[in-house]
Amino acid sequence: MRTRITVPDDSLTRLRIALTVFFALDGFVFAGWVVRIPAIKEQTGASASALGLALLGVSAGAVITMMLTGRLCRRYGTHRVTVVCAVLLSLSVALPPLTHSAVALGAVLLIFGAAYGSINVAFNSAAVDLVGALRRPIMPSFHAAFSLGGMLGAGLGGLVAGALSPTRHLFGLTVIGLLVTAVAGRTLLRIPAPTPSREVPQQTSAPRRKGTRTRGLVITFGLIALCTAYGEGALADWSALHLEHDLEATPGVAAVGYSCFALAMTIGRLTGTRLLERLGQTRTLVGGGTTAALGMLLGALAPSVWAALLGFMITGLGLANLFPVAVERAGRLAGPDGVAIASTLGYGGMLLGPPAIGFMADWFSLPAALTSVAALAATAALIALLTRRAAG
């Protein structure tokens, strides 16, 4: 028997607001780091490939701690872990500008990535409990808040890039993060996490062929998630550098690139439910992947800054709903195991993106390397098209 914790409706509303704030804070802090990558690259003197390996620390730290944070949440509660991880995230974002080599940068980014991965597991777990308690599909609103926070963080970074050094800018993010955590964290720590009753699934037997087919489809949707996460990670880490070094944009304008992408992602996620209801999941996947591929070709190969910014926005609109739809379809096929497989493959794409772009940039050029995002987005659309009957 599981004891169900009943929380008043007004407390659930305050809890939803607090979790929304933490999602937005996560995007805000992460985007603030992203827009200063060009300046920190110059400070460390790293080559494109060395920077790619250093950036790998963020994804590596995130993936490693994601596998461990679930245990901490079960032991100490999702709300406590969320608050602690928010403090660690706020403190660790100030570390990158203190480094002067690619090796040192990779080491501190491992810490930053660990905090980033942990808070994502913690507040997503808390949000799942809240969704179950409210019995309303509000999860997209949390992820829209993350995208909005990213847009605001990148926009602020663009405004201060010419006036503040990376050290002062990122230390300012530390102060803001700690203040926000102090305010919103009080709500999380005071309100117990709602624990909806859960049914234990009945054990059923199925033909081996059907089980193999199901696992194959789950992996297929996981590949769609991988292609999507690769694109998101590439734009987060390399868009500002592309605008500043290849198109000779000022640091302030270069920082706007990720802001445009984050704005488009926010709009896409806020309208995702209506889009899915009108087009269906397969058309949404195919259309989104195709749109992202065309947008990224424009963003990577455009000869002007403004055309590249338009391409980033089109890419954001296309990628916005691919990951959640792919994970949802995998979960519908195989339950929590399907979600876990698809999510792991998705984070693998984010892990692969930074070093892959870095190496390809050294071998060819950064614009050519960024076209790989278009290729994988088109691959996601093709996979969705080829599996439409089997998925149905």
Side-chain angles (χ1 to χ4, degrees):
M1 296 294 291
R2 176 188 287 270
T3 301
R4 177 167 180 161
I5 300 176
T6 303
V7 183
D9 290 341
D10 60 337
S11 295
L12 292 179
T13 300
R14 289 189 287 118
L15 184 57
R16 179 181 179 181
I17 294 173
L19 285 174
T20 301
V21 169
F22 277 109
F23 272 84
L25 176 64
D26 188 42
F28 179 81
V29 171
F30 185 75
W33 142 248
V34 165
V35 299
R36 301 317 296 255
I37 289 177
I40 294 176
K41 176 183 183 294
E42 183 178 354
Q43 175 181 301
T44 59
S47 64
S49 58
L51 178 63
L53 288 175
L55 294 174
L56 184 63
V58 177
S59 298
V63 170
I64 292 171
T65 54
M66 281 176 179
M67 297 185 294
L68 301 175
T69 305
R71 298 179 182 178
L72 295 177
C73 289
R74 288 193 296 269
R75 182 170 182 178
Y76 299 106
T78 57
H79 292 183
R80 290 182 182 179
V81 176
T82 296
V83 173
V84 171
C85 290
V87 172
L88 295 177
L89 182 72
S90 301
L91 293 174
S92 62
V93 75
L95 298 178
L98 302 180
T99 62
H100 297 280
S101 69
V103 174
L105 178 62
V108 300
L109 289 182
L110 191 66
I111 299 173
F112 178 69
Y116 177 75
S118 296
I119 193 173
N120 273 269
V121 171
F123 62 36
N124 270 294
S125 298
V128 167
D129 290 339
L130 181 58
V131 169
L134 291 174
R135 297 183 179 180
R136 295 180 56 201
I138 62 171
M139 184 65 81
S141 68
F142 292 123
H143 291 271
F146 172 84
S147 297
L148 180 61
M151 182 192 70
L152 294 176
L156 177 63
L159 292 175
V160 306
L164 294 179
S165 66
T167 301
R168 291 184 177 182
H169 175 201
L170 297 186
F171 179 75
L173 295 185
T174 294
V175 175
I176 294 173
L178 293 176
L179 290 175
V180 171
T181 300
V183 175
R186 295 178 63 186
T187 300
L188 287 189
L189 295 178
R190 289 181 177 180
I191 300 177
T195 308
S197 58
R198 303 179 189 272
E199 295 182 1
V200 178
Q202 296 180 352
Q203 299 293 330
T204 59
S205 59
R208 180 175 299 179
R209 180 179 302 177
K210 183 177 180 181
T212 302
R213 180 169 175 265
T214 298
R215 285 193 296 271
L217 285 173
V218 168
I219 293 174
T220 298
F221 292 128
L223 292 176
I224 295 177
L226 183 151
C227 294
T228 305
Y230 178 97
E232 292 184 35
L235 279 167
D237 289 339
W238 294 100
S239 60
L241 198 64
H242 169 57
L243 292 173
E244 186 171 340
H245 286 193
D246 298 318
L247 300 178
E248 299 181 351
T250 64
V253 174
V256 174
Y258 184 71
S259 181
C260 291
F261 175 74
L263 173 62
M265 288 283 287
T266 304
I267 295 173
R269 285 170 174 170
L270 288 174
T271 59
T273 299
R274 183 174 299 177
L275 186 68
L276 286 166
E277 291 174 346
R278 180 168 299 183
L279 299 180
Q281 292 184 335
T282 297
R283 290 183 180 179
T284 299
L285 287 173
V286 174
T290 303
T291 299
L294 295 175
M296 198 59 228
L297 286 176
L298 176 62
L301 303 178
S304 68
V305 172
W306 304 113
L309 292 177
L310 176 62
F312 291 162
M313 292 192 70
I314 296 173
T315 304
L317 289 173
L319 292 180
N321 296 299
L322 296 190
F323 189 95
V325 170
V327 172
E328 189 275 333
R329 294 185 80 169
R332 188 173 55 177
L333 282 168
D337 290 339
V339 174
I341 293 172
S343 298
T344 300
L345 286 172
Y347 287 119
M350 190 169 292
L351 185 69
L352 176 67
I357 294 290
F359 282 117
M360 284 188 287
D362 270 354
W363 294 335
F364 306 104
S365 66
L366 183 54
L370 288 174
T371 61
S372 64
V373 176
L376 288 181
T379 300
L382 181 61
I383 291 173
L385 184 64
L386 294 176
T387 59
R388 63 189 185 279
R389 293 182 179 179

